[in-house]
Amino acid sequence: MKLNFWKVLGAIVALMVVVNGASAQQAVKMTDDELKVKQKLEQKIPGAPIDRVIKTSLLGGLYEVVVEGQLIYTNSEVTHLIAGQILDISRSPQERVNVTEQRMKELFNVDVASLPLEASFKRVKGDGSRVLYLFSDLDCPYCAVLEKTLSEMTNLTIYTFMYPLEELHPSAVSKSKKIWCAPDRAKAWEAYFASKELPKNAGDCKVPIETVQNLAKRYNIRGTPGLVFADGQVIPGALPKDQLEQMLQATAAAAAEKSKKK
């Protein structure tokens, strides 16, 4: 059976709307040309959650289309879509670049200086010289794996943003409220991962869960754990200890170099 591409794509984006909700990208001013391309796309794919359209110089002027955290491409007439990665192979093999991957990092790189740290709690291990911003869910099994890894590390400051994924873990929100309302949030958090023991409180204090949810959507953090490093790079998943150590060192150096250039 031959599938109609536009119907399939329309079904996919419709599902993305249901699962992920409305787009939470910051409002970005687009040029007239970019707006026209966006409007044509919305006509051809009704309900597509298009965050923004960006004109580029790629291949004679392709347009980048950001759709729920994914990057696809179209032409000015919107007669074709490219759903995949663009590689720049004009350079030597050692210098070739994955253009799509590079742009994704630029588009969704986190401005760590603007993160609302008051919506997180802080843990300091050793001298705290390296920094990690963590979006985590109490009932996420991969978060539990990561917490075990973090317990074995030192010289690290962790800012934890509680990001309960209620559709996957129905009781995660109420548990998160109890953690946040505890006198020592960091201690309560680690105690839960160690023994599943929750603080004995009503969980009725003011909890910044909605703030964190909006923050996660803004930076395309759609699952847990979501790791944000010192240079603003976002990596999903429970990285193994050796890889996490490498990332912390490399991103700390990159952040320091970036700071020097300011």
Side-chain angles (χ1 to χ4, degrees):
M1 181 177 68
K2 187 176 180 181
L3 294 176
N4 181 296
F5 174 78
W6 290 104
K7 286 184 178 178
V8 172
L9 187 60
I12 291 171
V13 296
L15 179 61
M16 291 166 73
V17 172
V18 172
V19 173
N20 294 312
S23 168
Q25 281 286 311
Q26 285 180 293
V28 177
K29 188 173 182 180
M30 289 182 273
T31 66
D32 289 343
D33 287 343
E34 290 167 346
L35 283 169
K36 285 177 184 175
V37 168
K38 183 175 184 288
Q39 288 163 0
K40 286 180 183 178
L41 274 170
E42 289 171 338
Q43 289 169 4
K44 293 190 175 187
I45 319 173
I50 299 168
D51 296 322
R52 60 188 291 197
V53 171
I54 308 155
K55 188 174 184 180
T56 77
S57 58
L58 288 170
L59 304 176
L62 285 179
Y63 286 78
E64 294 174 337
V65 183
V66 182
V67 183
E68 285 291 328
Q70 301 302 315
L71 191 59
I72 59 177
Y73 303 91
T74 190
N75 58 332
S76 58
E77 293 80 21
V78 193
T79 55
H80 294 78
L81 279 181
I82 301 173
Q85 299 187 332
I86 294 179
L87 307 179
D88 180 355
I89 58 172
S90 64
R91 313 177 191 187
S92 67
Q94 295 79 15
E95 297 176 321
R96 289 173 183 172
V97 175
N98 184 323
V99 176
T100 304
E101 185 179 84
Q102 190 176 67
R103 279 293 288 152
M104 287 285 286
K105 287 180 180 178
E106 291 170 3
L107 287 167
F108 297 111
N109 204 58
V110 175
D111 177 10
V112 295
S114 70
L115 285 174
L117 299 183
E118 66 276 8
S120 71
F121 59 84
K122 180 179 177 181
R123 291 178 280 172
V124 179
K125 297 176 178 290
D127 63 17
S129 55
R130 301 174 299 174
V131 182
L132 178 67
Y133 305 90
L134 173 63
F135 287 73
S136 190
D137 179 335
L138 279 165
D139 287 340
C140 157
Y142 298 104
C143 298
V145 172
L146 180 62
E147 285 296 326
K148 187 176 185 306
T149 300
L150 293 174
S151 71
E152 299 167 357
M153 298 176 68
T154 190
N155 300 334
L156 180 62
T157 298
I158 308 164
Y159 292 97
T160 301
F161 293 86
M162 290 193 296
Y163 182 31
L165 303 177
E166 193 171 13
E167 64 276 15
L168 296 176
H169 310 126
S171 62
V173 170
S174 61
K175 291 177 181 178
S176 297
K177 289 179 178 179
K178 286 179 175 290
I179 297 290
W180 189 260
C181 297
D184 187 332
R185 292 164 184 160
K187 185 177 178 180
W189 177 266
E190 292 182 347
Y192 181 79
F193 279 99
S195 64
K196 300 301 180 186
E197 181 183 347
L198 282 168
K200 291 178 173 58
N201 64 54
D204 55 358
C205 64
K206 188 175 180 180
V207 183
I209 289 175
E210 187 175 349
T211 298
V212 175
Q213 289 171 335
N214 290 334
L215 195 64
K217 288 177 183 175
R218 173 180 170 186
Y219 287 118
N220 195 38
I221 300 171
R222 301 185 182 280
T224 56
L227 288 69
V228 181
F229 292 90
D231 65 346
Q233 193 173 162
V234 180
I235 302 289
L239 297 183
K241 184 180 177 182
D242 58 346
Q243 191 177 345
L244 184 53
E245 291 278 10
Q246 290 171 9
M247 284 295 300
L248 286 166
Q249 293 300 116
T251 53
E257 188 64 29
K258 186 177 178 181
S259 181
K260 285 180 186 176
K261 292 178 181 179
K262 287 184 177 179

